[in-house]
């Protein structure tokens, strides 16, 4: 069985790359993809540990992008993480994240919320600061009663402390393709698109390779709809748990029990 959407401490997961591979072994996975937000820093360690544990670790990434005021995540698989353009993009995204975080803090302070960069850095173990870490701080300081509330009130797109992202979905696809990888639209249902079909068609015309069609919380009619889009636009249906460790109790590794076939389909696409 396989799981193609996993976060480690390199972004906002709670398990280190090595702990993650060990847990994947426990969960009977034979192929996993590590897809940290805007980060490749877990890949080398995870791949090495995978070799020891006889688990194939696909080098991956999950880019956060923005399109028409919607947050769109693009997954990259089989990326060459030594590719210069990729590394340059990741470094500039890291700087952008830090600048965004300062701006978010400023906006939260205006809302009479006492939060500092130090608070957030304490929360972020890896090198990528995300809004998940900010929401944890807001929760710990009792400004909100759930992490979801932090996004609904302050951190979500269009909310009082939201700062726009610069990367677009098409640019993310281009970077992934230029580093030899496959680009997949992550959890499309979570984007809440009004014209899903046109959007997927646009991405398909710009070299998208697949749609994450299996995802925790997707109904069977959601899955059918995405597989249908895959058939129309010659894309590969993929899936993953979006495991973040103990940060999110709604997902666990290998909860979807996805077959090896999906991995083979991706390999075929890669070798065409
Ligand atoms: Zn995502
Ligand atoms: Zn994710």
């Amino acid at each position: 069985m396989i799981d193609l959407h996993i976060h480690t401490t390199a972004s906002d997961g709670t398990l280190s790359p090595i702990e993650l591979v060990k847990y994947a072994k426990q969960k009977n996975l034979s192929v996993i993809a590590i897809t940290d937000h805007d980060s490749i820093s877990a890949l080398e360690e995870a791949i090495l540990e995978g070799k020891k544990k006889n688990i194939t670790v696909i080098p991956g990434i999950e880019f956060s992008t923005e399109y028409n005021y919607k947050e769109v995540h693009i997954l990259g698989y089989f990326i060459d993480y030594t590719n210069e353009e990729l590394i340059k993009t990741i470094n500039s995204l890291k700087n952008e994240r830090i600048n965004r975080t300062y701006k978010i803090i400023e906006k939260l302070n205006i809302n009479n919320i006492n939060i500092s960069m130090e608070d957030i850095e304490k929360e972020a173990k890896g090198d990528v600061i995300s809004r998940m870490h900010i929401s944890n701080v807001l929760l710990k300081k009792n400004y909100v009663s759930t992490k979801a509330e932090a996004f609904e009130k302050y951190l979500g797109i269009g909310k009082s402390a939201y700062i726009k992202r610069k990367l677009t979905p098409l640019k993310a696809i281009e970077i992934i393709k230029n580093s030899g990888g496959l680009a997949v639209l992550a959890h499309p249902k979570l984007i809440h698109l009004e014209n899903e079909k046109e959007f997927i068609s646009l991405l398909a015309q710009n070299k998208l390779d697949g749609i994450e069609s299996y995802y925790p919380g997707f109904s069977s009619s959601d899955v059918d709809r995405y597989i249908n889009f895959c058939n129309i636009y010659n894309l590969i249906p993929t899936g993953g748990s979006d495991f973040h460790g103990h940060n999110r109790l709604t997902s666990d590794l290998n909860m979807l029990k996805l077959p090896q076939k999906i991995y083979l389909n991706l390999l075929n696409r890669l070798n065409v």
Side-chain angles (χ1 to χ4, degrees):
M1 282 168 291
I2 71 168
D3 192 327
L4 301 180
H5 192 152
I6 301 170
H7 297 271
T8 72
T9 46
S11 62
D12 51 358
T14 59
L15 299 186
S16 73
I18 290 178
E19 287 167 338
L20 192 278
V21 174
K22 283 183 181 153
Y23 188 48
K25 188 79 194 175
Q26 264 179 47
K27 288 280 178 182
N28 294 318
L29 287 161
S30 56
V31 178
I32 59 172
I34 306 275
T35 54
D36 279 306
H37 296 290
D38 304 344
S39 172
I40 50 169
S41 61
L43 297 180
E44 213 166 70
E45 222 180 348
I47 288 167
L48 222 72
E49 186 65 19
K51 280 182 184 147
K52 287 187 204 159
K53 297 270 183 307
N54 203 18
I55 292 178
T56 302
V57 178
I58 300 171
I61 194 160
E62 181 174 25
F63 281 122
S64 302
T65 76
E66 204 174 311
Y67 183 81
N68 281 350
Y69 302 100
K70 304 275 185 196
E71 196 174 330
V72 176
H73 290 180
I74 304 286
L75 293 159
Y77 294 122
F78 306 101
I79 50 168
D80 168 12
Y81 53 93
T82 63
N83 180 280
E84 258 175 60
E85 189 199 0
L86 181 75
I87 293 170
K88 244 173 69 186
T89 305
I90 287 166
N91 286 337
S92 75
L93 287 173
K94 197 170 154 185
N95 290 333
E96 195 196 316
R97 270 180 185 268
I98 293 167
N99 290 336
R100 283 178 77 230
T101 305
Y102 277 114
K103 286 181 189 160
I104 290 171
I105 291 169
E106 230 171 80
K107 290 205 170 188
L108 287 170
N109 291 160
I110 291 168
N111 281 292
N112 290 321
I113 290 174
N114 176 19
I115 183 173
S116 69
M117 193 58 153
E118 289 80 68
D119 296 331
I120 297 161
E121 278 170 346
K122 258 187 249 163
E123 202 59 43
K125 292 191 190 76
D127 57 357
V128 170
I129 290 171
S130 82
R131 286 175 300 161
M132 170 99 83
H133 301 124
I134 304 175
S135 73
N136 284 343
V137 176
L138 292 179
L139 186 63
K140 281 183 183 166
K141 293 195 163 197
N142 291 320
Y143 286 113
V144 291
S145 45
T146 62
K147 278 187 263 182
E149 191 190 332
F151 281 84
E152 281 154 24
K153 272 190 167 165
Y154 306 110
L155 305 173
I157 221 158
K159 305 299 177 191
S160 61
Y162 184 79
I163 303 290
K164 215 172 151 45
R165 289 174 198 280
K166 290 190 191 110
L167 191 65
T168 66
L170 297 188
K171 183 69 192 166
I173 294 172
E174 190 188 315
I175 295 160
I176 291 165
K177 304 297 288 186
N178 287 347
S179 67
L182 297 177
V184 170
L185 176 62
H187 44 64
K189 197 189 176 188
L190 305 192
I191 311 169
H192 304 293
L193 289 156
E194 285 112 43
N195 38 19
E196 208 170 37
K197 190 167 190 245
E198 281 140 67
F199 182 65
I200 289 170
S201 154
L202 171 75
L203 297 191
Q205 283 163 41
N206 286 276
K207 298 192 174 162
L208 187 75
D209 295 291
I211 301 173
E212 191 173 49
S213 308
Y214 306 95
Y215 188 84
F218 279 19
S219 68
S220 59
S221 75
D222 294 329
V223 174
D224 289 347
R225 186 170 75 255
Y226 294 124
I227 288 177
N228 187 37
F229 286 138
C230 286
N231 290 334
I232 296 171
Y233 298 111
N234 185 30
L235 302 168
I236 295 170
T238 70
S241 64
D242 207 356
F243 179 66
H244 280 75
H246 314 297
N247 269 343
R248 287 185 195 174
L249 302 171
T250 44
S251 94
D252 196 3
L253 222 52
N254 199 17
M255 66 184 283
L256 300 172
K257 308 261 182 284
L258 299 172
Q260 191 89 358
K261 179 90 174 74
I262 294 173
Y263 168 63
L264 299 176
N265 290 341
L266 287 173
L267 275 184
N268 278 336
R269 177 97 173 194
L270 196 63
N271 295 324
V272 164

